[in-house]
């Protein structure tokens, strides 16, 4: 099979190549002229809905050249039909709009997804249950499973949740943001839809917001694209250009970030005795369940979390670091650390989340080592 980086550079070659430029240009147009020849007009009522993202662009809320190119590359990368959105949360909203469940089972995970569910519960009475309450699901309901899960990079057993859901006719949406390809492949375990905050590893440079849903069924893609037209959540012009640029180098970045994170976590774990303030390290590489090895076949998440002994220590550690910037988010080429309570109202006050970038991992280890040793 053609290698991943080759596909990331070529999968959109035949999609809306309107100019000979090697790098697809940024399109600023929101609207596109109809054909000059009236014989080529297609009435809206006769248009093939499946061609909305591949045919001649009409209006950028429907699709535009770089959103279509992103979908071609992401579809290839993620093994299905991809639909892009203007944020990770927009993609979650699109998934729940599509499945329209009465009850959603959900664990911890990204707090913004809970924010959307709370709106749906308030307005439409959507019920929320925990991942240990799957007996409350029935046909048409949904499990939203984020794995590895924010902020601890905890891996959940996808095969287990898929079986439980499918036994009662419910659906499973997997938010795979923390372990994009080739780290894990949720399709192997039978999920119904895959979601990513493209803002993170696909964007990779902390300069764009994007989301993506992937389905194995082209009819589902057509419905999602039609819904997106009316939700108004297509990715914007500049962001799609940036996303396409980023996808070209994605394989190199994710492999380095994943292997660096594992190396750093292993170092901290082995040298725990040197860091009296360090109480817990959370990372998929330290999780012993059998399913972790089955699921994280291509490597571990580039995100890990640490808990320090006191709130004061957690608050002050970011300021002692030279290479990690104190900031929320993850997935970019620059390493970040976050005193998580600053952005997540539910986070423990002793928790720091770390997103490993592409710097030399030995420099990152030395930086964490000096900062942890200086934390008394
Ligand atoms: C796991 C996960 N899912 C979804 C999102 C939402 O993505 P966005 O910020 O692009 O809306 C985030 C954002 O941090 C995330 O970490």
């Amino acid at each position: 099979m053609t290698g991943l980086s080759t596909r990331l550079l070529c999968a959109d070659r035949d999609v809306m190549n309107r100019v000979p430029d090697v790098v697809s240009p940024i399109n600023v147009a929101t609207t596109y002229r109809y054909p000059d020849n009236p014989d080529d007009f297609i009435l809206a009522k006769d248009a093939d809905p499946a061609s909305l993202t591949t045919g001649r662009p009409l209006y950028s809320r429907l699709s535009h050249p770089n959103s279509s190119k992103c979908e071609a590359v992401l579809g290839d990368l993620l093994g299905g039909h991809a639909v892009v959105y203007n944020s990770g949360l927009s993609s979650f909203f699109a998934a729940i709009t599509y499945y329209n469940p009465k009850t959603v089972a959900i664990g911890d995970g990204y707090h913004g997804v809970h924010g959307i569910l709370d709106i749906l519960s308030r307005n439409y009475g959507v019920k929320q249950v925990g991942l240990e309450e799957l007996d409350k699901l029935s046909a048409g309901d949904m499990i939203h499973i984020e794995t590895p899960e924010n902020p601890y990079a905890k891996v959940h057993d996808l095969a287990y949740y898929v079986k439980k859901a499918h036994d009662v006719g419910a659906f499973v949406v997997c938010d795979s943001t923390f372990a994009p390809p080739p780290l894990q492949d949720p399709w192997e375990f039978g999920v119904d839809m895959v979601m990513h905050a493209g803002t993170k590893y696909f964007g990779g440079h902390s300069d764009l917001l994007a989301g993506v849903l992937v389905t194995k069924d082209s009819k589902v893609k057509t419905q999602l694209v039609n819904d997106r037209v009316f939700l108004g959540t297509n990715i914007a012009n500049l962001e799609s250009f940036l996303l396409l640029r980023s996808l070209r180098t994605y394989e190199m970045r994710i492999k380095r970030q994943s292997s660096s994170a594992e190396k750093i976590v292993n170092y901290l774990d082995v040298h725990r005795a040197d860091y009296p303030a360090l109480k817990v390290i959370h990372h998929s590489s330290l999780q012993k369940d059998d399913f972790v090895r089955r699921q994280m076949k291509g490597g571990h998440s580039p995100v890990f979390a640490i808990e320090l002994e006191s709130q004061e220590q957690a608050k002050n550690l970011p300021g002692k670091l030279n290479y990690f910037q104190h900031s929320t988010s993850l997935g970019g080429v620059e390493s970040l650390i976050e005193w998580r309570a600053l952005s997540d109202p539910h986070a423990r006050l002793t928790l720091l989340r770390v997103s490993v970038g592409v710097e030399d991992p030995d420099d990152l280890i030395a930086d964490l080592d000096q900062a942890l040793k200086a934390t008394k």
Side-chain angles (χ1 to χ4, degrees), residues 314-322 324 326 337 371:
K315 182 177 168 188
N316 289 314
L317 187 88
K320 299 187 196 318
L321 290 160
N322 300 308
F324 292 81
H326 187 201
I337 188 163

Side-chain angles (χ1 to χ4, degrees), residues 181-335:
L183 308 186
Q184 87 177 344
D185 178 9
W187 297 124
E188 261 185 56
F189 307 95
V191 305
D192 299 286
M193 195 175 275
V194 176
M195 168 198 151
H196 285 266
T199 309
K200 314 301 175 184
Y201 294 98
F202 300 152
H205 296 73
S206 308
D207 58 4
L208 67 94
L209 290 175
V212 57
L213 290 181
V214 196
T215 164
K216 288 285 188 191
D217 184 340
S218 63
K219 289 200 195 70
V220 176
K221 168 164 177 161
T222 301
Q223 185 62 58
L224 289 171
V225 171
N226 275 296
D227 290 351
R228 188 184 64 183
V229 169
F230 303 113
L231 294 172
T233 49
N234 191 17
I235 190 169
N237 274 319
L238 176 62
E239 279 71 6
S240 63
F241 167 84
L242 290 170
L243 179 58
L244 196 57
R245 169 221 55 184
S246 298
L247 286 167
R248 308 306 193 197
T249 56
Y250 166 74
E251 185 183 18
M252 288 173 272
R253 289 186 282 106
I254 191 69
K255 285 186 170 164
R256 167 121 170 156
Q257 287 171 275
S258 168
S259 72
S260 293
E262 199 170 344
K263 185 172 181 180
I264 295 167
V265 166
N266 182 54
Y267 186 92
L268 296 180
D269 191 37
V270 168
H271 294 85
R272 263 173 204 256
D274 297 340
Y275 314 121
L278 179 58
K279 288 295 149 207
V280 195
I281 309 171
H282 299 276
H283 191 233
S284 53
S285 65
L286 301 177
Q287 200 178 328
K288 298 289 174 239
D289 308 279
D290 275 354
F291 59 82
V292 176
R293 248 179 307 114
R294 279 199 300 277
Q295 243 168 255
M296 305 296 291
K297 271 196 193 144
H300 288 282
S301 179
V303 179
F304 68 94
I306 54 176
E307 287 183 63
L308 301 190
E309 189 163 9
S310 75
Q311 172 181 340
E312 265 321 283
Q313 290 170 338
K315 182 177 168 188
N316 289 314
L317 187 88
K320 299 187 196 318
L321 290 160
N322 300 308
Y323 299 131
F324 292 81
Q325 301 186 58
H326 187 201
S327 174
T328 195
S329 199
L330 57 118
V333 289
E334 53 289 295
S335 289

Side-chain angles (χ1 to χ4, degrees), residues 4 11 52 61 65 73 91 123 127 129 163 198 207 242 287 303-304 309 363:
L4 181 53
L52 206 56
R61 200 182 72 240
V73 177
S91 62
N123 286 352
K127 288 204 189 69
V129 299
K163 168 138 192 15
D207 58 4
L242 290 170
Q287 200 178 328
V303 179
F304 68 94
E309 189 163 9
D363 293 331

Side-chain angles (χ1 to χ4, degrees), residues 87-89 110 146 150 175 177-178 195 197 199-200 209-210 330:
S87 72
L89 283 187
Y110 182 58
E146 186 182 311
N150 194 48
D175 181 342
T177 300
F178 272 42
M195 168 198 151
T199 309
K200 314 301 175 184
L209 290 175
L330 57 118

